[in-house]
Amino acid sequence: MTTAGPTLRTSTSVQEADGARPPRPPRRLKRSEKIAMALGVLVLLPIALVWIYPFVWVFSSSLQSNAEIFASLNPFTSTLQLDNYIRAWTEADMGRYFLNTIFVTGVSILLSVTVNALLGYVLGRYVFPGKRLIYVLLALVVFLPEGYTVIPIFDLIDNLGLSGSLWGIALAEAGGVSVIVVLLFTGYFAQLPKELEEAAKMDGAGFLRIFARIYLPLARPVLATAVILQFMHAWNDFLLPLVLTLSQPDLRTLAVGIYSLQNQYFSDWGMMSAASTIALLPIILVFIALQKYFIESFSGAVKG
């Protein structure tokens, strides 16, 4: 006599019953692919070390005295001169420069992303006379050296009555990577389906509502890329803040402040390295926080 007991299902049968595909086993690399990968590592590893070495050297120098820095090029040190960081923050007024840079960078990101996203939306979604000419002119501006624009920007900020203020520096910095950001937004918005816009118009949505509630949330990867590019530009820029703060030392940003630590006769490289390390940390943190969207925006551009 046989009894009908519960049937034991294997994991494969469970997946088949649930309609889920079993995971594919990892593909084994061919010998030629392994050789190509090994050669790639051999070529890229020295390049990566060359790129990383200056950052390691600056961090190592921030923990050494001037004499130790010039005694050896070895970045690995047994001493820890934490005093360099204390002096950079207090004696060199890095705290004030840090706050100035946060203000300038934050305002410039807000202005740049808002205005350039709106401009990219118009260029990407609407057809009007002169659109192609505007696009070509914007693309040509990419090749314009930054030095050409310093005097016109200084004159513009002065005529607006914003010279000698952090608002003026922030407004000047907002245009730093504008063209690249506009082109990114234009390309992204142009590839989105028209059905979204038509459905929103049928629901009574206007221009700004369609832009802010539908298209802008879809452009998160480009938004993150725009924030990263503008952040890196405004945080690291030296030329414009130098020109705009020549008579206002209290308005200096980090890049200008670090430069001012050296003089004709003596440079405290330990303190300057500590200040540079402090200035570098926010960039690394922002990039780590947004790097997922940054990579998505470029992979989407390649697919498009």
Side-chain angles (χ1 to χ4, degrees), residues 45-56:
L45 188 59
I47 297 174
L49 291 176
V50 169
W51 278 96
I52 291 172
Y53 179 78
F55 298 102
V56 176

Side-chain angles (χ1 to χ4, degrees), residues 39-94:
L39 289 174
V41 171
L42 286 176
V43 172
L44 293 178
L45 188 59
I47 297 174
L49 291 176
V50 169
W51 278 96
I52 291 172
Y53 179 78
F55 298 102
V56 176
W57 189 89
V58 169
F59 177 69
S60 173
S61 299
S62 72
L63 301 172
Q64 301 178 59
S65 65
N66 252 17
E68 291 170 320
I69 291 172
F70 291 105
S72 171
L73 291 177
N74 181 11
F76 301 102
T77 174
S78 57
T79 61
L80 292 175
Q81 292 277 347
L82 296 177
D83 180 58
N84 288 334
Y85 284 90
I86 298 172
R87 289 189 299 111
W89 192 260
T90 55
E91 296 177 17
D93 213 6
M94 290 296 294

